[in-house]
Amino acid sequence: MDKPKVLKMTAQRRVILEELKKDRTHPSADELYLKVRRRLPDISMATVYRNLEILSEHGLIRRLWEGGGPRRYDGVTDDHYHVTCERCGRIGDVPLDAVNGFLAKARGVSDFDIRGYRLEFYGFCPSCRDELAKDTD
Amino acid sequence: MDKPKVLKMTAQRRVILEELKKDRTHPSADELYLKVRRRLPDISMATVYRNLEILSEHGLIRRLWEGGGPRRYDGVTDDHYHVTCERCGRIGDVPLDAVNGFLAKARGVSDFDIRGYRLEFYGFCPSCRDELAKDTD
DNA sequence: GTCTATGCAAACCCTTTGCAGCCAT
DNA sequence: ATGGCTGCAAAGGGTTTGCATAGAC
């Protein structure tokens, strides 16, 4: 959670990184743990989680689909997108028409049968933007 | 989980739907529960969850950011997108260049300070596509 | 009457955290 | 030597489920 200044390269960290780098299946922490444990039988799940967090904070790996909190619901079913405030979590509407063009492009470069997409924006809501501006004064 | 044929309109379901429809904050199940409970003090959390699931299956409400399972990680940090198989959960790469154009558009219609977006595709992976084709024979 | 919906509580999955000792730098 | 790292076990948040009963159709 609190990012340390130096990254110590322990055996656990190195193996986690190596196994993830050579894995092309986008594994979950759990799946990766199973693979890593073949090389380091005593490693704990907590270490895997901690390292995945630290390594992605440092940009050495990528974490897919952020969005840990609770799921949210919308009573409005019309087509529109959402913005999430990175500071307070508030969600706003983005009343854009469906964006197209990249569905066709995506189909061209994937062997999946692509049926749709999910798009969401992130940034700061008006009041958090103001708060943050104050801090930089 | 097993979608029933008929939707019975119980008091609980009606109130959940009404409260969500008039709420513009994209509430979580928990937040909605608090509001609903003002009108139906004996309703249980499980009912709220079950109805949110059923109502979104029926298209009466929308569930934001699907993606319940575990978080997944990618050892490749180059810019690219992902497809999720809706049947088996497998994840593939979509080696598209960053799509732009809609960031500017989104900024034009939102009062948020939009800093970025997340885009992911969904559909069926090659083997699930084949399996599904078999079923329709 | 039938079949779906409910409340309750327990189970569940995934992830994070406190702690005491360990180890890379 | 010091600060980051580890394993363990326990706690945490959010969501789902089994069961018996109630209620909509």
Side-chain angles (χ1 to χ4, degrees):
Chain A
M1 203 96 275
D2 43 321
K3 193 192 299 199
K5 294 110 196 148
V6 259
L7 250 201
K8 293 189 180 177
M9 194 46 66
T10 62
Q12 293 89 332
R13 181 161 297 161
R14 186 169 356 90
V15 173
I16 289 169
L17 192 48
E18 282 173 12
E19 290 295 324
L20 183 56
K21 287 284 181 193
K22 75 185 190 205
D23 188 319
R24 313 277 40 257
T25 72
H26 311 87
S28 60
D30 195 76
E31 289 161 353
L32 196 56
Y33 170 63
L34 292 178
K35 296 197 172 178
V36 167
R37 211 174 41 170
R38 291 198 213 121
R39 295 173 58 186
L40 299 173
D42 293 331
I43 196 173
S44 85
M45 195 69 215
T47 298
V48 173
Y49 272 107
R50 278 189 285 235
N51 276 299
L52 287 173
E53 159 105 26
I54 291 169
L55 291 171
S56 41
E57 275 178 356
H58 284 256
L60 297 172
I61 64 173
R62 263 180 73 187
R63 182 142 87 163
L64 307 193
W65 66 56
E66 304 292 326
R71 256 199 291 242
R72 299 187 164 276
Y73 297 84
D74 195 339
V76 177
T77 53
D78 307 349
D79 232 355
H80 66 280
Y81 301 99
H82 296 102
V83 217
T84 305
C85 178
E86 299 190 88
R87 186 160 172 274
C88 71
R90 189 174 348 160
I91 293 178
D93 291 310
V94 180
L96 265 190
D97 291 331
V99 192
N100 27 34
F102 55 85
L103 260 187
K105 276 190 209 150
R107 290 192 181 112
V109 294
S110 171
D111 55 347
F112 277 52
D113 175 17
I114 294 180
R115 294 172 15 112
Y117 66 91
R118 283 182 272 274
L119 171 61
E120 64 173 60
F121 298 93
Y122 56 86
F124 298 111
C125 72
S127 58
C128 285
R129 187 194 346 90
D130 294 350
E131 287 298 316
L132 291 169
K134 262 191 254 167
D135 293 348
T136 0
D137 282 351
Chain B
M1 204 97 275
D2 43 320
K3 191 195 296 200
K5 294 109 196 150
V6 259
L7 249 203
K8 294 188 179 179
M9 194 47 66
T10 62
Q12 292 88 332
R13 181 161 297 160
R14 186 169 357 89
V15 172
I16 289 169
L17 191 50
E18 283 173 10
E19 290 295 324
L20 183 56
K21 287 286 180 192
K22 75 184 190 206
D23 188 319
R24 312 277 41 255
T25 71
H26 311 88
S28 60
D30 195 74
E31 290 161 353
L32 196 56
Y33 170 64
L34 291 178
K35 296 197 173 179
V36 167
R37 211 175 41 169
R38 292 198 213 121
R39 296 174 55 185
L40 298 173
D42 293 333
I43 196 173
S44 85
M45 195 70 214
T47 298
V48 172
Y49 272 108
R50 277 189 285 234
N51 276 298
L52 287 173
E53 159 106 26
I54 291 170
L55 292 171
S56 42
E57 275 178 355
H58 284 256
L60 297 172
I61 64 174
R62 265 180 71 189
R63 182 142 87 162
L64 307 193
W65 65 58
E66 304 293 325
R71 256 200 290 242
R72 298 186 165 276
Y73 297 85
D74 194 340
V76 177
T77 52
D78 307 350
D79 232 354
H80 64 280
Y81 301 98
H82 296 102
V83 218
T84 305
C85 178
E86 300 189 88
R87 186 160 172 274
C88 71
R90 191 178 341 164
I91 293 178
D93 290 311
V94 180
L96 267 190
D97 291 332
V99 190
N100 26 35
F102 52 69
L103 260 188
K105 276 190 210 149
R107 290 190 180 112
V109 294
S110 172
D111 54 348
F112 277 52
D113 174 15
I114 294 180
R115 294 171 16 113
Y117 66 91
R118 283 183 274 274
L119 171 61
E120 65 172 60
F121 298 93
Y122 57 85
F124 298 111
C125 72
S127 58
C128 285
R129 189 198 338 94
D130 294 350
E131 287 297 318
L132 291 169
K134 261 190 253 167
D135 293 348
T136 1
D137 281 350

